[in-house]
Amino acid sequence: MFQHILIATDGSPLSQRAADTGIALAHSLGAKVHAFHAVMPFPAVAYFAEMLLASQAQYTEAALAQAHQYLDDVRQRAQAAGVACEASFAVNAHPHEAIIASAREHHCDLIVMASHGRHGVESALLGSETHRTILYGALPVLVCR
């Protein structure tokens, strides 16, 4: 059935539960996993560029350290379950695009990710990367809540 599962993580407790679900599924199928995190780029406005240089460097350093931490967590969970795991991240203002591209690049056949279950105005304002991944991707998506 599924041989290579992409696990998208944002480091949240809900995302960690989704990672555990994806890892358990991979274990039961004899599949491998690919942990992935989309790093949001530093929001910059052109006329503030000089003022933001130090802040941008600090943000980038912290965001990349955080990405490595999230991915290491999934790697450790996979290793504990005896599941092969690779990991990567990408910087993209649209996480769903990065998730879909990574799944394609790594030849994954399933995406596992969490949904925070936003509704109403909150959903309309913040959107849902999970929903966008389902809409714009060509792979099946297992959504964990």
Side-chain angles (χ1 to χ4, degrees), residues 36-56:
F36 180 77
H37 177 69
V39 177
M40 294 295 287
F42 184 76
V45 178
Y47 57 88
F48 284 123
E50 290 177 15
M51 294 172 50
L52 296 175
L53 285 178
S55 296
Q56 182 176 8

Side-chain angles (χ1 to χ4, degrees), residues 13-138:
L14 189 56
S15 184
Q16 291 170 335
R17 285 201 323 247
D20 289 339
T21 299
I23 291 165
L25 178 61
H27 184 284
S28 70
L29 297 172
K32 60 185 176 178
V33 299
H34 186 91
F36 180 77
H37 177 69
V39 177
M40 294 295 287
F42 184 76
V45 178
Y47 57 88
F48 284 123
E50 290 177 15
M51 294 172 50
L52 296 175
L53 285 178
S55 296
Q56 182 176 8
Q58 292 169 342
Y59 170 82
T60 301
E61 183 179 331
L64 296 181
Q66 194 172 52
H68 288 290
Q69 180 182 354
Y70 297 159
L71 297 172
D72 286 344
D73 177 65
V74 177
R75 272 194 213 100
Q76 290 171 6
R77 291 168 186 264
Q79 184 178 20
V83 173
C85 178
E86 294 181 350
S88 66
F89 65 88
V91 178
N92 192 317
H94 305 285
H96 70 280
E97 291 175 358
I99 292 165
I100 292 166
S102 182
R104 188 178 313 116
E105 176 185 346
H106 296 285
H107 307 288
C108 296
D109 48 15
L110 175 69
I111 298 170
V112 175
M113 59 192 304
S115 174
H116 294 277
R118 295 184 178 103
H119 298 289
V121 174
E122 184 179 29
S123 177
L125 292 176
L126 297 175
S128 167
E129 293 306 322
T130 304
H131 186 240
R132 289 183 187 109
T133 301
I134 293 167
L135 285 177
Y136 298 112

